[in-house]
Amino acid sequence: MLSKLKKLKPEHILEILVIIISFIPGMILRLIKKDIWIISENGDDAKDNAYTFFKYVIENKRNKDIYYVVKKESIYYEKLKKYRKNILFQNSLKHNIYTIAATKYISSQIGSGLPFPQIVFNLQGTFLYRFKMIFLQHGITQNKVKCLMSDESKIDLFCCAGNEEYNFVINELGYKEEQVKKTGFCRFDWLKDESQNNNKILMMFTWRQQFENNEEEFLKSNYYKTIQELLKNEKLINFLENNDLEISVCLHDNMMKYKDKFIPATTRIKIVDKTEKSIQELLRECKYLITDYSSIAFDFAYMQKPLQYFQFDYEEFREKHLKEGYWNYEDGFGKVTHNVEECVDELINSSQNNFKMEQKYLDKTKDFYIFRDDKNCERTYDEICKVKGKESNIDSWWLINFIFFIISFCTSQLYLLLFVNVIGILLNIIYASKNVRQRIYFLLFSITSFTFLLAKPVISIVKGVNWISKFPVESQKNVFLLIFIAIISLYIGARINRKIKDVDVKEKSNNNILTNIALILFIICACFSIITEYDKLIYMNGKDYVEYYLTYENNFSPIITLLAGMANIMLCIFLACMPSKKKAIIPIAIFIIYNLPTFLIGQRTPMVVSILFVLAYFIIRDYIDNSKKWIGKFEKIVLILMIPISIIGLAIFNYSRVDENLPTNNIIGLFGDFFYTQGVTYDVLNIGYMTKDEIKEVTNHNYTFGPFIDYFKYSTISQKIFGTEDLPVGNNAERALKSSSYSHILSYLTREDYLDGHGWGSSFILETYTDFGHIGVIIYSIIMGYMLINIPKFLKKNVFIASIILIATLNIFIIPRAEALQFLQFIITPQFWGAWIMCIFVYKCFNFVKSKYETGRN
């Protein structure tokens, strides 16, 4: 898309301006008119499948918001005047507005009829243009044309009229069966043979792109000379005179510019202008057709009338215009002729047979056409109705929400700012809920964003707490701006995702060797993890949470610590192999078990993150692996019951870990209290915003990439290889000032009890804003939204990439209250690479032993 948009020229600036002006009205129109269909042909005509379909819908009162696109100066406008309420003038402001609001764009030509097609076609599928593209076709598809390929055309529904055509579109053009439908052509409903009392012959040749815009080359061409020779052929002229026949020569639209160059030698041959007679009328009234490669032959044969293919330039046509497709003209609906003499002789032979189609050609029509009735429009309508429109109303609500945000920000209305931010997150949740299985990561991230960023002021209103007075209005106003920027950018990132191609998950799960190796290594590492985690629980005995946090030290050997640290990574490698549900249950249960000691100590986050990780994995496997349900009725019941129980339990636990009395015995109060206590990040955002200048003045570090910077500067490996200094653990001034940890420097500057073990968390919003300003928040959030929505696509790639994605999701849900890139830090750790080296080493050893064993047996 970007490569095509780069071709835009300065004259397109006005077009872009019209699109920008149309944006807001178009988005609002989406809310007023839920299902707008726009129909077009080339934008200046009304004679083909699209017009026939439009007329059918209007006259059969299908109660659709349906509109036809035409230029006001078009010669066809007169016959469209009676439908003026349903007319959109090409490129008008109304045309642009309705295109933004449209759900279906129905056309007989790809891209034609769109406003400013070079721009709009390339923006189709974005949040700006959400319509589905319905292709009615201009003629039967015979050739492998690039613009018709599935990865080029953006077609969502491809309507076919022929059996061979249907198979060709699927097998050669790359469409899925659900995208291609056997409907018949709408204009076939009007194809009734009216030639019995007429004496006309139709001559119609397709165009040649090699000299379309070069008159000099055209006049020198074999194309022009041969047709002109035919028009002056004496034998043909005598035949017409003797049999009282006339020939109507209908030029292709792209050849009409050369109309005056064709000069017949008799008045019985007439060059027909499309203002005089439509192609449909010509097809119905003519007895015989002379064509070359034009798909109009299929319309003529549909009425079972005789025709011939006059192909005087076959090699040149295939070389310079269109490559050969599935259609074999030698086995077509008529004889193939190669020169003027053969053409005239074949016409005379047909006249001697009273212009009746030979039996072998009649049989061919019966095999080729799917339907031969007058229900083509009806079938097309039914199939279009089945095409599901893209989610669009959310875009419009986001626009309205954006407008309200501007108003509330300019007027410093904090309650309204809170409201539009909550609505923003709610819109993201609704968007994710429309396809929960695919968008589960985006859904959970949106929920945790509300919990950490906005829950406290929301619950404060319910509790009657005066949250506005806690921080200056200017600070809270700008914090709401940062939150709004983040959540709308997350949505934009999610909306630019591409369709996920289907991949057979069974192909991954077939590698049982790697799956089993990862499972065994996980169990070994999990044993060490349980030992190290339960050591913390033993140490905690008789101490409070803060004392433990300040004094606990790991005294295990580096090897044990390393293996324990690999447990989560080994689990993710195992799960990335896409094991069966039965095989995954026990490892997942072990994973929960070795996180339990940390939870009992007083750290809730690891356990909550673990449960969210497992939940998301089950749902995503349910989405990408349809062979077996991962979320059945039992799991759904457990989830419904456990979510509120878990929230209340965590609220109670929050008070018990610090020996505080419960503030209420009311269950609903505990439910709200959980969100209130988790929403401390709203306070942190305000404190960080007010302290940002002081932080940059004191340290001037980069905090967005802080986890990576600190690892390279202060990790054990860096100390041994580069001789860097050690970074002291715990809360101390040296750590706050030397490290690139935002949470430590913020707590050091703003909390008197920092050295006693207390502190603030962080947030991706604060870190990216402090380092890069508002643009940093926007870019990070767009990337995050794109990544969250595309996790299923990444998981369908190889095991290595899938394992990286799964490990990243272990901490991705807490990013709103944690370091911006903490969830990716594992990539540079010895635990990650050590785990993969172990897996590969054991895998290679196994294959080596296996090959030796099999060699010995042979």
Side-chain angles (χ1 to χ4, degrees), residues 366-380:
K366 294 173 183 177
D367 292 337
F368 182 83
Y369 296 101
I370 303 169
F371 303 104
R372 287 183 51 79
D373 56 25
D374 58 357
K375 304 293 183 182
N376 298 288
C377 285
E378 183 179 331
R379 282 188 294 270
T380 301

Side-chain angles (χ1 to χ4, degrees), residues 486-548:
I487 57 179
I488 195 173
S489 298
L490 283 164
Y491 178 70
I492 292 171
R495 292 290 277 119
I496 62 175
N497 70 303
R498 295 181 178 180
K499 291 181 179 178
I500 299 171
K501 294 182 179 180
D502 291 331
V503 176
D504 190 358
V505 177
K506 291 181 180 178
E507 292 180 5
K508 284 187 178 182
S509 60
N510 284 340
N511 194 345
N512 288 323
I513 298 173
L514 181 59
T515 307
N516 292 333
I517 288 171
L519 175 58
I520 294 169
L521 291 176
F522 164 70
I523 293 173
I524 294 171
C525 293
C527 291
F528 289 106
S529 181
I530 290 171
I531 292 170
T532 56
E533 292 300 316
Y534 272 88
D535 180 68
K536 297 176 184 177
L537 190 59
I538 294 169
Y539 182 84
M540 180 72 176
N541 187 31
K543 301 179 180 66
D544 62 25
Y545 175 71
V546 175
E547 185 179 357
Y548 155 79

Side-chain angles (χ1 to χ4, degrees), residues 503-691:
V503 176
D504 190 358
V505 177
K506 291 181 180 178
E507 292 180 5
K508 284 187 178 182
S509 60
N510 284 340
N511 194 345
N512 288 323
I513 298 173
L514 181 59
T515 307
N516 292 333
I517 288 171
L519 175 58
I520 294 169
L521 291 176
F522 164 70
I523 293 173
I524 294 171
C525 293
C527 291
F528 289 106
S529 181
I530 290 171
I531 292 170
T532 56
E533 292 300 316
Y534 272 88
D535 180 68
K536 297 176 184 177
L537 190 59
I538 294 169
Y539 182 84
M540 180 72 176
N541 187 31
K543 301 179 180 66
D544 62 25
Y545 175 71
V546 175
E547 185 179 357
Y548 155 79
Y549 179 75
L550 288 173
T551 61
Y552 177 78
E553 291 184 10
N554 184 343
N555 294 315
F556 290 100
S557 68
I559 294 296
I560 293 177
T561 303
L562 179 66
L563 290 172
M566 288 182 183
N568 287 356
I569 296 168
M570 286 296 185
L571 175 70
C572 290
I573 295 173
F574 165 70
L575 295 177
C577 294
M578 301 296 161
S580 66
K581 180 180 177 182
K582 184 177 179 181
K583 200 169 192 175
I585 288 294
I586 293 178
I588 286 173
I590 294 172
F591 169 65
I592 298 294
I593 289 170
Y594 69 65
N595 277 289
L596 188 59
T598 308
F599 176 72
L600 295 174
I601 289 167
Q603 294 180 327
R604 295 168 298 173
T605 301
M607 177 58 75
V608 173
V609 166
S610 301
I611 293 172
L612 290 177
F613 171 81
V614 172
L615 171 64
Y617 183 78
F618 266 66
I619 293 174
I620 211 69
R621 282 299 303 273
D622 202 46
Y623 170 69
I624 64 178
D625 184 6
N626 290 319
S627 62
K628 184 175 178 62
K629 288 290 182 183
W630 281 65
I631 302 289
K633 289 183 179 179
F634 174 77
E635 287 82 0
K636 290 177 181 177
I637 293 171
V638 171
L639 281 173
I640 292 170
L641 294 175
M642 287 303 298
I643 289 174
I645 294 173
S646 299
I647 290 173
I648 293 169
L650 287 170
I652 295 172
F653 183 75
N654 183 59
Y655 289 96
S656 63
R657 70 171 182 164
V658 290
D659 294 327
E660 291 185 9
N661 294 324
L662 293 178
T664 178
N665 293 321
N666 187 290
I667 293 179
I668 297 176
L670 286 172
F671 193 86
D673 197 58
F674 166 78
F675 288 97
Y676 183 82
T677 56
Q678 290 298 309
V680 70
T681 306
Y682 179 76
D683 293 348
V684 176
L685 290 175
N686 278 279
I687 295 167
Y689 179 81
M690 293 186 293
T691 317

Side-chain angles (χ1 to χ4, degrees), residues 272-407:
V272 181
D273 193 297
K274 61 182 180 180
T275 59
E276 302 171 38
K277 208 163 252 188
S278 71
I279 293 176
Q280 288 284 326
E281 290 177 289
L282 291 169
L283 288 169
R284 290 197 297 268
E285 68 182 27
C286 289
K287 295 178 176 292
Y288 188 84
L289 171 67
I290 301 173
T291 187
D292 50 359
Y293 317 94
S294 174
S295 62
I296 205 69
F298 290 97
D299 292 60
F300 208 78
Y302 183 83
M303 293 180 286
Q304 298 184 330
K305 294 195 289 186
L307 60 92
Q308 68 161 289
Y309 302 104
F310 181 27
Q311 298 178 349
F312 48 84
D313 62 345
Y314 188 83
E315 289 77 14
E316 182 183 4
F317 180 81
R318 290 305 179 195
E319 179 184 351
K320 296 182 178 180
H321 190 80
L322 278 177
K323 300 297 181 184
E324 191 167 4
Y326 69 88
W327 183 252
N328 180 5
Y329 291 96
E330 297 291 344
D331 186 32
F333 299 122
K335 187 174 180 179
V336 178
T337 57
H338 304 92
N339 54 57
V340 171
E341 289 72 21
E342 286 183 9
C343 175
V344 175
D345 288 343
E346 179 59 25
L347 172 61
I348 294 172
N349 288 337
S350 186
S351 73
Q352 293 171 350
N353 193 34
N354 294 320
F355 291 111
K356 290 184 178 179
M357 182 177 266
E358 294 181 35
Q359 188 61 45
K360 62 179 179 179
Y361 300 131
L362 286 172
D363 293 339
K364 180 70 176 180
T365 63
K366 294 173 183 177
D367 292 337
F368 182 83
Y369 296 101
I370 303 169
F371 303 104
R372 287 183 51 79
D373 56 25
D374 58 357
K375 304 293 183 182
N376 298 288
C377 285
E378 183 179 331
R379 282 188 294 270
T380 301
Y381 177 85
D382 291 341
E383 291 297 341
I384 293 174
C385 287
K386 293 176 186 177
V387 177
K388 292 182 180 179
K390 294 181 180 178
E391 300 147 278
S392 59
N393 288 342
I394 295 176
D395 293 339
S396 298
W397 284 117
W398 253 119
L399 176 64
I400 293 171
N401 202 41
F402 179 75
I403 294 171
F404 272 104
F405 179 83
I406 293 174
I407 295 170

Side-chain angles (χ1 to χ4, degrees), residues 38-53:
I38 297 180
I39 302 178
S40 72
E41 290 176 3
N42 279 314
D44 64 348
D45 51 2
K47 64 184 188 308
D48 206 337
N49 288 316
Y51 172 69
T52 309
F53 180 72

